Amino acid sequence: MEATITLRLPRDAASVPVIRQLLDAALRALGVEPQVREDILLMLSEACSNVIQHAIPSDDYMVSTELFSDRCVIKVIDTGEGFDFSGTRAPSPTSEHGRGLLIMRALADDIRFTSRPERGSVVCLEKNLRFVQDAPGLSLLLDEEHVRHDGVDRSLPGDARREQEHARAR
């Protein structure tokens, strides 16, 4: 199974809770662990907030979310002027703004930025999914018995999964 949610939203702060609630409902229904859901929703909020604040002259933006196997992939796409992500600097310790990119980088398992000058930007955020015991997502999204071709059980909690990955690498 693969679940996809795609919305074109107005570049308005009121749009952020809408996509957050839709995605949270899908993640909750599949049985994604609460901490993983919270990380995903915070990354999504930061990416959408950046579009709302900076994607001038765009009137709207698009959020596309794909849930498949053990991954959540979020793409936030705007049609603004584009943004040079390589030139971003860390905010000063006393700054009240400018931490969105740092937060997204800290929470995402993979993050990619694409700037399309005069056509907008794309932020792609990926997060590994972990599920509560007996979650519907275990049977709906994951391969046979939760194990992918590398032999790692993706349904295990993070520490146990990492131990299994390290053991396989040895």
Side-chain angles (χ1 to χ4, degrees):
M1 180 183 119
E2 185 174 307
T4 303
I5 300 169
T6 302
L7 292 176
R8 182 170 301 280
L9 299 160
R11 208 184 96 213
D12 184 299
S15 68
V16 179
V18 172
I19 187 62
R20 277 180 56 99
Q21 290 173 14
L22 284 170
L23 182 54
D24 187 43
L27 294 169
R28 186 180 302 269
L30 291 168
V32 174
E33 288 182 0
Q35 183 60 57
V36 174
R37 283 196 333 262
E38 290 170 16
D39 289 352
I40 290 170
L41 297 176
L42 183 52
M43 292 185 316
L44 174 65
S45 294
E46 292 297 334
C48 292
S49 294
N50 282 346
V51 167
I52 291 163
Q53 292 176 0
H54 304 293
I56 299 169
S58 179
D59 290 332
D60 58 11
Y61 67 107
M62 189 168 70
V63 176
S64 174
T65 304
E66 296 176 53
L67 304 170
F68 59 92
S69 188
D70 64 339
R71 302 288 275 179
C72 175
V73 178
I74 300 169
K75 291 181 183 175
V76 179
I77 305 161
D78 70 69
T79 56
E81 296 174 353
F83 180 76
D84 181 10
F85 294 96
S86 65
T88 59
R89 295 173 293 171
S92 72
T94 58
S95 176
E96 293 184 23
H97 302 285
R99 289 185 173 71
L101 293 178
L102 292 174
I103 291 169
M104 288 186 282
R105 283 187 171 118
L107 297 176
D109 292 312
D110 190 25
I111 186 168
R112 293 180 302 284
F113 302 102
T114 305
S115 180
R116 307 171 305 169
E118 298 181 27
R119 293 186 342 201
S121 300
V122 179
V123 176
C124 183
L125 305 158
E126 294 190 24
K127 185 75 173 174
N128 293 324
L129 298 175
R130 292 189 313 267
F131 299 91
V132 299
Q133 190 171 357
D134 298 325
L138 291 171
S139 62
L140 294 173
L141 293 176
L142 296 180
D143 294 345
E144 296 173 13
E145 298 181 30
H146 324 305
V147 178
R148 294 184 54 198
H149 67 280
D150 60 3
V152 176
D153 185 342
R154 302 295 181 205
S155 68
L156 291 173
D159 291 339
R161 188 176 68 248
R162 280 189 288 279
E163 285 179 31
Q164 199 176 60
E165 289 169 344
H166 289 303
R168 297 273 308 158
R170 289 185 220 145

